[in-house]
Amino acid sequence: MINGEFLMTFEYAPAPESRASVSIKSKYGHYIGGKFVAGEKHFRTINPATEEVLSSIALGGKKEVDAAVKAAKKALDMNWSKLSGRERGKYLFRIARILQERAREFAVLESLDNGKPIRESRDVDVPLAAAHFFYHAGWADKLEFAGVGTNAKAHGVVGQIIPWNFPLLMLAWKVAPALATGNTVVLKPAETTPLTALLFAEVCEQAGLPAGVVNILTGDGSTGALIVNHPGINKIAFTGSTEVGKIIAQSVAGTNKSVTLELGGKAANIVFEDAAIDESVEGIVNGIFFNQGHVCCAGSRLVIQESISDEFIKKLQKRMEKIRIGDPLDKNTDLGAINSRAQLEKIKDLSLAGDAEGAERWSPKCALPDKGFWFAPTIFTGVTQTHRIAREEIFGPVLSVLTFRTPQEGIDKANNTPFGLSAGIWSEKGSKVLWASQKLKAGVIWSNTFNRFDPTSPFGGYKESGWGREGGRHGLTAYLKGVAHE
Ligand code: NDP
């Protein structure tokens, strides 16, 4: 101990999770009508940490989208819509249990295809995915108690398009409520992370889910657009960028299709001068560096009271020096690989814009692997509200720091964004937390914590962050027709 500081540091030995639980085929087709159907064109999915090719993935075109929608409609008419809620619930319980049983396999596969640390895929993505199926299994036979009356009906065939940041978890957020409410599904995973959705197709088979209730079509944005515009689709559920969300909103305008959009964010984590500093530092780190910052609700703006700013930034930098970057399969890794070369370029471009506009960049000294896509944890201080890094979603491990003098100024800065997905408040004063939470324009607000998710809690935003809610009773009712949404 010197000056009250514990100076001993430990070298961590590598602790890689075994890949043995995972078997990846060299080529995959689409999962349509309960069978894998060979695709015509293919693209490659790679491990972003090493650039190793993992598999060849089918690119869905019009023929495959037609077949999947037809299979989903047939399953709806033949059996799924006739089953009681109790019977549907049994399938969901089975799926949830199988996800738990195969948790290690899913976690390793997710980390390989996505680049996220195994610590997160193992402890967050997979358990939460199972929890979503358990939660919605419980609702399946109780829909009349969801406050939607007794006449609410399923939409029918639902098209679901998901992003690459939480591939299995986003699938669970979409598929579980859709099946619980009696819909059938055509789901498209993101081009760069299709493998856990394809493994999920095996889970559906293992659970004995009737053929066609879940169809998984792989492909790129063109496949997504074909699903959105297909006349046989009754509802679209999308998670992804605001840009594509706007295209989807335009495409479905004037049709009978229902739509929910879960889009981008630029969340403010507001730290008041009476906050518990060390806890807040930990919360800020979790808010922006969890999942490499590839999180729609990431706390990508630190809005901090000027009186504590210098001390806080020093502590934050010290904490950032401890972030371990590297092999996503290593159990000690905190920050994994950026999901794709394209995303890495976007993060680099926006960071260069931060430099050019006069903000001050800082990253801890850290060695990044030679192969794969990597970006060091970064903070920008001296950021003003007009800077691109304060306004645009970077979707990477980059934090923009803005300061305020009065609480009202903090709120004004936090709300000065076209987005409105989430926000965090750090203060030891309950009255201040309540005051701030009422003033913040965000769909989800955390107090003295961040990035907490629970299937029972509705999640979603307003302004350019989307339409509708996912999770909880609100998310459930979005899959029913004839429900007026709050
Ligand atoms: P996209 O919005 O393009 O992708 C989300 C999903 O939509 C993917 O499955 C994608 O297919 C599909 N898609 C793309 N174009 C269309 C279309 N015209 N019609 C229907 N579906 C479509 O996000 P990106 O992956 O390109 O990421 C770009 C930026 O979006 C990121 O940098 C980040 O800022 C933001 N983003 C936000 C997310 C969030 O959760 N809010 C999630 C992901 C990204 P495919 O990718 O296979 O081509």
Side-chain angles (χ1 to χ4, degrees):
M1 294 273 272
I2 295 183
N3 292 337
E5 284 207 46
F6 194 52
L7 291 180
M8 190 190 286
T9 54
F10 293 93
E11 281 303 316
Y12 286 79
E17 176 69 58
S18 163
R19 282 175 70 154
S21 57
V22 164
S23 124
I24 304 175
K25 298 189 181 88
S26 59
K27 193 183 246 190
Y28 285 90
H30 307 283
Y31 185 66
I32 300 175
K35 301 193 288 283
F36 275 97
V37 179
E40 284 172 6
K41 292 187 192 156
H42 290 84
F43 60 93
R44 296 179 316 176
T45 187
I46 64 169
N47 177 345
T50 58
E51 298 176 56
E52 168 203 4
V53 175
L54 294 173
S55 184
S56 177
I57 304 295
L59 178 78
K62 185 171 181 322
K63 193 174 104 188
E64 289 86 6
V65 175
D66 279 343
V69 174
K70 206 166 148 196
K73 178 77 173 114
K74 189 171 162 199
L76 186 77
D77 295 342
M78 298 271 295
N79 52 43
W80 197 245
S81 62
K82 301 192 174 73
L83 280 188
S84 66
R86 186 177 143 89
E87 289 303 312
R88 286 199 308 274
K90 282 189 199 167
Y91 288 107
L92 290 166
F93 276 122
R94 261 184 232 163
I95 291 172
R97 281 195 293 265
I98 297 168
L99 285 176
Q100 286 185 322
E101 282 161 19
R102 300 179 70 169
R104 181 167 298 229
E105 186 182 356
F106 270 101
V108 173
L109 190 61
E110 198 74 300
S111 284
L112 283 172
D113 205 18
N114 172 281
K116 65 174 71 200
I118 187 77
R119 190 164 65 80
E120 292 178 2
S121 47
R122 182 197 61 198
D123 297 348
V124 181
D125 297 58
V126 179
L128 268 179
H132 270 268
F133 279 97
F134 276 122
Y135 173 72
H136 288 96
W139 267 121
D141 62 349
K142 303 175 194 68
L143 296 180
E144 65 266 40
F145 304 112
V148 294
T150 48
N151 286 326
K153 298 264 181 311
H155 286 283
V157 178
V158 180
Q160 305 187 316
I161 297 161
I162 56 172
W164 42 263
N165 52 343
F166 293 94
L168 179 71
L169 184 57
M170 288 301 105
L171 175 151
W173 279 30
K174 299 270 182 287
V175 173
L179 300 195
T181 44
N183 298 277
T184 57
V185 162
V186 175
L187 176 130
K188 189 195 90 65
E191 192 181 343
T192 56
T193 54
L195 293 180
T196 46
L198 292 164
L199 186 60
F200 181 79
E202 278 183 28
V203 170
C204 293
E205 282 188 355
Q206 205 181 333
L209 194 71
V213 171
V214 169
N215 302 276
I216 308 234
L217 273 183
T218 47
D220 61 11
S222 66
T223 316
L226 285 167
I227 295 173
V228 169
N229 294 307
H230 197 287
I233 295 278
N234 305 109
K235 174 191 160 80
I236 294 292
F238 171 79
T239 297
S241 62
T242 296
E243 189 190 355
V244 173
K246 285 181 182 172
I247 296 173
I248 292 177
Q250 282 164 6
S251 309
V252 301
T255 71
N256 283 332
K257 288 174 192 164
S258 167
V259 65
T260 40
L261 303 172
E262 204 272 273
L263 309 177
K266 191 76 192 172
N269 235 332
I270 311 180
V271 182
F272 290 102
E273 60 190 0
D274 54 35
I277 302 286
D278 291 339
E279 277 170 49
S280 316
V281 166
E282 208 52 46
I284 300 305
V285 166
N286 168 44
I288 185 61
F289 301 122
F290 168 61
N291 204 34
Q292 295 70 246
H294 300 329
V295 185
C296 49
C297 55
S300 52
R301 287 180 300 149
L302 165 60
V303 181
I304 184 157
Q305 198 146 9
E306 204 178 84
S307 50
I308 54 162
S309 168
D310 289 349
E311 179 195 355
F312 194 93
I313 299 299
K314 272 194 205 111
K315 288 200 165 186
L316 180 61
Q317 289 174 333
K318 206 163 171 200
R319 173 64 182 83
M320 283 170 66
E321 281 165 356
K322 300 272 187 307
I323 294 176
R324 296 176 56 84
I325 306 157
D327 180 6
L329 284 188
D330 192 311
K331 291 165 205 159
N332 295 320
T333 292
D334 299 313
L335 197 78
I338 301 301
N339 179 249
S340 64
R341 189 181 295 282
Q343 189 59 29
L344 179 60
E345 291 308 321
K346 182 181 170 188
I347 298 168
K348 283 183 177 170
D349 282 355
L350 275 164
S351 299
L352 287 173
D355 298 332
E357 288 180 335
E360 197 173 317
R361 186 198 295 228
W362 184 89
S363 292
K365 283 196 187 67
C366 54
L368 299 179
D370 296 333
K371 282 209 118 188
F373 315 129
W374 302 92
F375 198 86
T378 298
I379 55 172
F380 277 98
T381 48
V383 179
T384 72
Q385 298 187 81
T386 55
H387 287 167
R388 285 183 66 199
I389 53 169
R391 309 200 63 77
E392 296 180 33
E393 190 176 38
I394 302 176
F395 225 62
V398 182
L399 179 70
S400 302
V401 183
L402 298 105
T403 57
F404 65 91
R405 288 186 180 165
T406 64
Q408 185 58 48
E409 188 194 352
I411 300 291
D412 292 343
K413 284 193 171 169
N415 284 339
N416 186 2
T417 164
F419 297 108
L421 189 54
S422 66
I425 305 168
W426 297 86
S427 166
E428 293 262 86
K429 262 189 166 254
S431 56
K432 196 179 275 175
V433 170
L434 289 173
W435 172 84
S437 63
Q438 282 165 359
K439 301 224 167 229
L440 284 168
K441 294 196 168 31
V444 182
I445 297 175
W446 288 287
S447 144
N448 295 318
T449 187
F450 207 85
N451 274 339
R452 297 280 157 207
F453 307 99
D454 190 293
T456 63
S457 174
F459 181 91
Y462 56 111
K463 298 201 280 184
E464 293 206 358
S465 289
W467 292 344
R469 294 290 177 267
E470 292 191 308
R473 192 182 63 78
H474 301 71
L476 183 87
T477 58
Y479 281 91
L480 292 166
K481 256 194 305 203
V483 177
H485 288 284
E486 299 95 320

